[in-house]
Amino acid sequence: MNKLLQTLMDGVAVGSLYALIALGYTMVYGVLQFINFAHGDVVMVGAWICFLLVAAAGLAVGEPQLGALYPADWIAIPLLLGMLALLMARVPRRCLSRWPQTCHAVELAATVIAAVCGIRFLLLGGGWAGYGLHGAAASQGWTRLAPALGGAAILVTAMCICAVLGYLFERLAYRPLRDAPRLNVLITAIGLSLLIQNVGQLKFVFGTEPQAMAVLLPDVVLVEVAGVSVRLLDVGILTTTILLMASLDYLVFRTKIGTAMRAASFDRHTAALMGIPVDRVVTFTFVMGSALAAAGGFLFVSKYRSLQQPADMAWVLMGLKAFVAAVVGGIGNIRGAMVGGLLIGLLEFFGAAYLSPQLRDVYVFTLLIAMLLLRPSGLFGRHALEKV
Amino acid sequence: MKPADPLARELRPSIALTFVKSGAPILMGAGLALLVHMVLAPRMQPLHAKILQDIGINIILAVSLNIVNGFTGQFSIGHAGFMAVGGYTAAGVSYYASYALWGSPAANGGVLSFMGEWSSFEGPLFAGGDGLFLLACLAGGTVAAIAGVVVGLPSLRLRGDYLAIVTLGFGEIVRVLIQQSREQLLTKQAVEEVGCWERFLHLGGALGFTRLPFYTTHFWVWFFAFITLLVSFRLRQSSYGRAFLSIRENEIAAEAMGVPVTRYKVMAFVFAAFFAGIAGGLFAHQLGTTLNPGELGFQKSFDILIMVVLGGLGSISGAVVAAVALTILPEVLRDPPHAWPLALAIIIGILIFKRRAGIRGAVLLAALTGAFELMRAVAVWQEIDLSKYRMILYALSLILIMILRPQGLFGVREIWDWRPQWRKRHPLPTRGDPA
């Protein structure tokens, strides 16, 4: 009974992480009908950025001394450059009509520069925010929860950074291929995935050494239910994922932009005819998906402390499992992705606990093959008939 | 039997002539390979000779992947899995059969398996070891072809992205299975203790399969490369090739026209896997390479994929050119030479022969050369070894190719279709894109 409840809890906690990442896959498939192979690498980037920010802000439970901070002198240049780029991003109308190609190139370059400066600014600001919040909480007397509050600030920052990254990837790699054959987009996605992995391995980015993430939440057992200890960490992870998924659900089903996303996923061209700015909707989808991926990465490394190197199989496996979760739930269906993630998490943990721990990855891929052969549209997906 | 009707007699080719016409290229290929092996290779430096062998093996891999990715339009990114299957099968056959036949895994071949000063070797041209190696490679190809059937069959229910994931998964499954194999048997007693068929389970595991006889020489590599090119070219011209191309263009229309789509997709996988298996066998027995599962993973699949994509999906000569270029590239990156003399010559050539039409190409080439020289200057100044950043360059160039020139170097055309008047001689089905 203990084992059952423990496995259930672990499965639900990790399954909700898979659901978060699967939401990114499913939303992108919904609007663009292609599988974004590079999504798993955004999770990796999010996790590593969180590690770097936590290390820079010096957050850890039980350590009274805060660590070194970023040098603040690098903040002026990116800030100014970014603001200048944002101003340039919208060129005047008469220039646009006379030299269209140059103006588009200038706009693209300006947005890219603005995005890169934004990332730099966020990296700096995130460290400061984490340190500041930790300090404020500690001075109020909440010494045990202070690092977690700092961690929350860093989570928000990492989500913003990965959102900007998602914007960059969409703008530079996927938008030029909006109407290209599917094979080309797939190859580009694979190329982008490999690029992210290999750039991440460079010494001045993340490096090739595995690292250990600092402990942010105190390892406290909240309550003992039937011999099973409910940890604060698992409750924290579950709460965060439920919050994020609930807000995404609200966004997609009850706001105007969400309606636009759903409309674009039904029929992109007709949605454009109805006045929906499809480019902006697609960019927004990528941005949302990447932000959720960053959250998933952060929660993943807070649970499993060790952080593998960027090209390691562990990240690829996690991305693939999240993809399986999206497929199982019905790719393109948001609620399906949430359910699929939970299913995959439960399957993995129950299989590892009751069958064999070495084959934990095999269960998930077996489910994938079974689903693809028996019910390719997934649990909640609609089977779109291909018309000629 | 000559038919009675005089017109039929005129139209029907003579049987002897047909055999000569179809067999002659194979003999010519063997002759060319022999020439390379005996005349060209002994005169090269050993490093360059090894690179030449690598080029040949990569040509086989790229042309075989072109059959399934280029002709049939499927998305297979687990090609190194077939190579691993074929390589390990060939290695197992040659290693354990060597023990059974001659009591040791040393090479036992003739002149065809000998690399070195040709004038110093006495012995037969084709000895027992050569026969064993040929058998091992063919066995490797056959087992890889069976694996091709296994991978191709699910293509009935899977399309595009999902097939890609399945092929990727297949490559990983092969790698994991090989890592789980038992340790290699190193002495004659150990080999004799284990049963005949059980020996094939001892493939070395994660440490790799070492001490293989080094049978791979320029003759074998270029002979098999020539056969692959010949088969690929003739396949494209045949009814099978037309079926493959129709599946690539529009699967539903092909099905409606009566092409059994799944059968041809599986056939494409089988052809591709067979040649990849042979390439694996050649790779396994090469002097200077160790056969271990880590080397034949997704990295190798990606290398082959980028060769095919760069050359043009569907172009045999494109795959060959890209294979040559991308095999030489790491060596060039390690010690980059100056590119501007060559680039200048090409630009002058373009401007003389194409004039106004060539200006855009000339400017692009100039920009690329400038970027290359800049990179080279930085690498020399900072003493960076550029070949370590090879994967970043590959990934970036793949993305740029897909955005700027998705048809690759040649598109679906071949190098002999360049001039319009040559194109009329080879009425191959092409995409309707203008010159």
Side-chain angles (χ1 to χ4, degrees):
Chain A
M1 193 57 185
N2 296 353
K3 196 171 166 189
L4 182 77
L5 280 178
Q6 183 71 48
T7 322
L8 189 70
M9 232 179 43
D10 284 335
V12 166
V14 175
S16 59
L17 286 181
Y18 289 149
L20 267 185
I21 305 170
L23 280 168
Y25 279 110
T26 221
M27 286 199 296
V28 166
Y29 191 89
V31 281
L32 284 180
Q33 277 82 44
F34 93 96
I35 295 173
N36 184 12
F37 276 111
H39 195 64
D41 300 287
V42 177
V43 176
M44 179 272 292
V45 168
W48 271 92
I49 286 179
C50 288
F51 165 75
L52 287 177
L53 286 176
V54 163
L59 307 177
V61 173
E63 272 183 26
Q65 191 176 2
L66 301 171
L69 300 171
Y70 285 114
D73 50 335
W74 279 98
I75 200 168
I77 297 172
L79 196 55
L80 285 174
L81 207 60
M83 290 202 303
L84 188 69
L86 274 174
L87 282 172
M88 271 166 49
R90 299 296 246 158
V91 296
R93 194 145 288 278
R94 55 192 163 88
C95 300
L96 193 62
S97 49
R98 282 181 75 181
W99 308 291
Q101 278 184 335
T102 323
C103 282
H104 281 131
V106 163
E107 278 181 358
L108 182 62
T111 34
V112 168
I113 294 173
V116 171
C117 295
I119 291 181
R120 185 78 187 101
F121 182 59
L122 279 168
L123 275 173
L124 290 170
W128 279 99
Y131 171 57
L133 212 57
H134 184 164
S139 65
Q140 291 286 335
W142 303 337
T143 40
R144 295 187 80 194
L145 280 180
L149 283 173
I154 285 178
L155 172 64
V156 171
T157 320
M159 283 172 75
C160 295
I161 294 177
C162 282
V164 176
L165 270 178
Y167 169 78
L168 275 177
F169 295 150
E170 195 272 328
R171 199 74 172 74
L172 294 174
Y174 295 134
R175 191 182 292 193
L177 297 168
R178 187 62 65 75
D179 289 315
R182 295 268 291 280
L183 191 62
N184 297 6
V185 190
L186 279 170
I187 296 177
T188 309
I190 289 189
L192 190 63
S193 164
L194 276 162
L195 185 70
I196 299 172
Q197 280 175 9
N198 284 290
V199 167
Q201 275 187 317
L202 292 176
K203 261 197 295 271
F204 63 85
V205 184
F206 298 140
T208 49
E209 298 291 322
Q211 305 283 355
M213 175 80 160
V215 175
L216 289 179
L217 270 180
D219 197 11
V220 158
V221 176
L222 277 185
V223 60
E224 289 256 347
V225 173
V228 171
S229 46
V230 178
R231 307 207 113 80
L232 181 61
L233 186 66
D234 289 333
V235 170
I237 289 178
L238 203 57
T239 320
T240 319
T241 47
I242 289 178
L243 251 159
L244 285 169
M245 287 201 279
S247 30
L248 184 80
D249 197 86
Y250 180 80
L251 187 83
V252 170
F253 289 103
R254 290 188 203 262
T255 60
K256 216 157 125 185
I257 184 79
T259 318
M261 276 168 66
R262 281 182 291 135
S265 78
F266 278 119
D267 189 334
R268 216 165 63 228
H269 298 289
T270 313
L273 287 172
M274 292 294 123
I276 292 174
V278 170
D279 281 345
R280 261 189 257 168
V281 166
V282 171
T283 308
F284 184 74
T285 310
F286 265 92
V287 160
M288 279 286 109
S290 305
L292 290 175
F298 173 76
L299 294 171
F300 184 77
V301 293
S302 5
K303 187 167 170 66
Y304 298 114
R305 254 326 80 76
S306 66
L307 207 64
Q308 303 301 328
Q309 57 116 347
D312 196 74
M313 207 49 201
W315 301 112
V316 177
L317 269 175
M318 197 166 66
L320 275 176
K321 282 183 204 162
F323 167 70
V324 173
V327 167
V328 161
I331 196 152
N333 189 315
I334 290 190
R335 286 175 177 157
M338 297 180 196
V339 170
L342 280 170
L343 261 173
I344 294 290
L346 286 170
L347 177 71
E348 185 186 344
F349 275 84
F350 272 98
Y354 288 100
L355 289 175
S356 154
Q358 272 102 357
L359 299 175
R360 61 190 321 145
D361 304 327
V362 174
Y363 307 126
V364 173
F365 293 123
T366 318
L367 182 65
L368 172 71
I369 293 175
M371 283 302 275
L372 287 179
L373 290 177
L374 299 172
R375 205 195 147 93
S377 57
L379 287 174
F380 294 96
R382 7 164 246 268
H383 186 62
L385 288 167
E386 194 169 335
K387 288 177 146 182
V388 196
Chain B
M1 284 299 146
K2 286 214 172 271
D5 186 32
L7 186 63
R9 224 181 305 159
E10 217 177 279
L11 291 173
R12 195 175 181 166
S14 80
I15 295 178
L17 196 63
T18 315
F19 269 107
V20 166
K21 270 189 177 175
S22 69
I26 302 177
L27 288 175
M28 199 171 69
L32 275 171
L34 206 61
L35 204 72
V36 170
H37 177 54
M38 290 188 161
V39 173
L40 190 61
R43 289 185 171 76
M44 297 172 86
Q45 292 172 27
L47 179 68
H48 295 161
K50 168 92 171 25
I51 295 176
L52 196 64
Q53 278 187 14
D54 283 340
I55 291 177
I57 294 178
N58 283 336
I59 286 179
I60 301 178
L61 287 167
V63 170
S64 61
L65 186 63
N66 185 44
I67 295 177
V68 71
N69 274 20
F71 291 165
T72 322
Q74 302 305 299
F75 195 34
S76 164
I77 49 177
H79 210 58
F82 297 129
M83 187 183 174
V85 166
Y88 268 89
T89 310
V93 164
S94 74
Y95 186 74
Y96 292 118
S98 281
Y99 267 115
L101 289 173
W102 297 298
S104 83
N108 231 335
V111 172
L112 292 179
S113 305
F114 175 73
M115 285 216 298
E117 277 305 317
W118 175 57
S119 52
S120 70
F121 185 77
E122 304 108 26
L125 191 70
F126 187 92
D130 288 314
L132 178 64
F133 177 62
L134 188 62
L135 195 71
C137 279
L138 289 176
T142 314
V143 174
I146 296 173
V149 174
V150 168
V151 172
L153 272 178
S155 64
L156 171 66
R157 295 296 297 255
L158 301 170
R159 280 198 288 127
D161 320 359
Y162 298 132
L163 188 63
I165 302 250
V166 167
T167 53
L168 179 67
F170 167 75
E172 288 303 309
I173 288 173
V174 164
R175 192 178 58 86
V176 167
L177 283 178
I178 290 176
Q179 271 171 345
Q180 302 293 327
S181 63
R182 304 182 200 165
E183 82 286 343
Q184 194 179 354
L185 303 167
L186 293 169
T187 58
K188 191 161 185 233
Q189 300 97 300
V191 172
E192 274 166 10
E193 272 167 31
V194 178
C196 182
W197 292 108
E198 211 190 311
R199 284 182 207 159
F200 280 94
L201 292 174
H202 291 262
L203 291 173
L207 297 171
F209 205 148
T210 54
R211 308 236 194 121
L212 288 169
F214 296 125
Y215 281 122
T216 302
T217 54
H218 291 90
F219 172 73
W220 289 117
V221 165
W222 289 101
F223 177 59
F224 281 124
F226 193 80
I227 299 255
T228 311
L229 283 167
L230 189 69
V231 168
S232 180
F233 178 68
R234 284 184 172 171
L235 194 65
R236 193 186 163 169
Q237 283 186 314
S238 69
S239 67
Y240 297 105
R242 288 197 291 274
F244 291 152
L245 296 174
S246 73
I247 296 173
R248 173 184 77 193
E249 296 299 326
N250 192 329
E251 212 172 294
I252 298 177
E255 185 91 52
M257 285 291 118
V259 173
V261 163
T262 308
R263 203 202 306 174
Y264 278 108
K265 279 192 200 173
V266 171
M267 204 185 296
F269 269 102
V270 165
F271 273 108
F274 179 76
F275 289 114
I278 290 186
L282 289 168
F283 178 79
H285 293 92
Q286 207 180 9
L287 178 68
T289 54
T290 47
L291 188 64
N292 69 32
E295 252 186 73
L296 296 174
F298 181 64
Q299 192 100 319
K300 187 89 190 155
S301 283
F302 183 71
D303 281 345
I304 311 169
L305 180 72
I306 191 174
M307 282 176 205
V308 176
V309 168
L310 176 63
L313 280 167
S315 167
I316 303 172
S317 45
V320 169
V321 166
V324 171
L326 287 176
T327 313
I328 299 180
L329 190 68
E331 307 304 320
V332 165
L333 283 180
R334 207 162 286 158
D335 182 22
H338 276 291
W340 62 264
L342 182 66
L344 196 63
I346 295 178
I347 288 174
I348 291 176
I350 291 176
L351 288 175
I352 290 178
F353 289 109
K354 286 209 145 190
R355 262 167 272 173
R356 269 205 79 172
I359 285 184
R360 215 171 117 186
V363 168
L364 185 68
L365 189 60
L368 279 174
T369 315
F372 179 77
E373 287 294 324
L374 188 68
M375 211 167 64
R376 180 188 180 280
V378 168
V380 167
W381 173 48
Q382 292 279 349
E383 283 170 42
I384 308 170
D385 182 7
L386 279 176
S387 62
K388 271 192 269 189
Y389 301 111
R390 185 177 64 106
M391 281 312 289
I392 298 184
L393 283 170
Y394 276 12
L396 202 58
S397 56
L398 191 64
I399 298 175
L400 284 172
I401 291 170
M402 279 294 120
I403 295 176
L404 298 172
R405 194 182 159 91
Q407 66 267 38
L409 272 174
F410 288 120
V412 290
R413 296 203 297 262
E414 308 285 348
I415 201 169
W416 48 82
D417 291 334
W418 175 50
R419 291 227 156 245
Q421 51 265 37
W422 297 357
R423 240 176 271 160
K424 288 200 203 94
R425 284 195 290 151
H426 297 282
L428 290 178
T430 54
R431 285 226 181 96
D433 54 352

